[in-house]
Amino acid sequence: MLEIRLAEAGDLPVILEIYRRARRFMAENGNPTQWGDGHPPRQLLEADVAARRLYAVTDGGRVCGAFAFVIGPDPTYARIDGGRWRSDAPYGTIHRIAGDGTVRGVLAAAVAWGWGQIPHLRIDTHADNRVMRHLVEKLGFRPCGTIYVQDGSPRIAYEKLPEDG
């Protein structure tokens, strides 16, 4: 059974390897640009740990996935084109989710955990990330439009509300 816990500084070498594997998987599956060669950078992950917003997904105590989770307004989501958010109620956002490829269900575990924190979630991904888009929609998220990340590149934005199950 997968469990979620706050990531610690000592987890960073494993988490960096998880992200390296995720970048390779994305590139091999038609999505080479979403995270490029070095996203997320170590400095961002260190800041996430310090801010207590980086979480480790564990399987029998072994870290097999990671994600950032923040409750509250996300500046990236202030502008949405080609659609609209379905609710303005407080929400949690899952960012930078990745698994090491050894277990299934990392995203589902993170979503279930996040849902337990606040039953209104948002997430986004690159249009070329077909695997993630399929999984997000399978987990009940609905596409809402296009948002733009810090470098200006577009992402498909998704939202999950209580009525989505």
Side-chain angles (χ1 to χ4, degrees):
M1 178 175 168
L2 299 180
E3 297 183 346
I4 309 294
R5 67 166 172 78
L6 273 171
E8 301 168 354
D11 297 321
L12 285 179
V14 172
I15 290 173
L16 286 163
E17 176 61 17
I18 288 168
Y19 285 120
R20 186 191 68 75
R21 288 182 182 189
R23 287 189 300 270
R24 186 179 70 223
F25 176 85
M26 287 192 289
E28 291 170 353
N29 287 276
N31 183 23
T33 60
Q34 181 173 348
W35 283 354
D37 290 330
H39 190 77
R42 183 180 188 101
Q43 307 90 289
L44 176 58
L45 299 174
E46 289 170 345
D48 284 345
V49 168
R52 301 176 54 87
R53 65 179 171 240
L54 186 64
Y55 292 85
V57 181
T58 64
D59 181 28
R62 182 184 64 82
V63 176
C64 61
F67 65 98
F69 185 77
V70 179
I71 294 176
D74 186 320
T76 305
Y77 293 164
R79 172 184 165 204
I80 186 166
D81 291 343
R84 64 177 184 81
W85 295 114
R86 298 166 52 220
S87 172
D88 291 328
Y91 61 92
T93 304
I94 297 172
H95 283 300
R96 297 184 289 286
I97 181 123
D100 68 4
T102 65
V103 297
R104 291 183 174 262
V106 169
L107 177 62
V111 168
W113 179 87
W115 194 255
Q117 309 307 303
I118 185 167
H120 179 193
L121 299 176
R122 292 182 180 174
I123 195 168
D124 63 85
T125 194
H126 195 282
D128 291 340
N129 196 339
R130 297 189 198 298
V131 172
M132 181 66 133
R133 289 173 54 198
H134 169 76
L135 292 172
V136 165
E137 291 178 20
K138 182 178 175 183
L139 290 169
F141 286 83
R142 293 190 190 173
C144 293
T146 302
I147 58 98
Y148 301 87
V149 294
Q150 192 171 14
D151 71 2
S153 60
R155 299 290 186 266
I156 299 172
Y158 293 86
E159 188 169 37
K160 180 178 170 106
L161 299 172
E163 58 266 27
D164 300 326

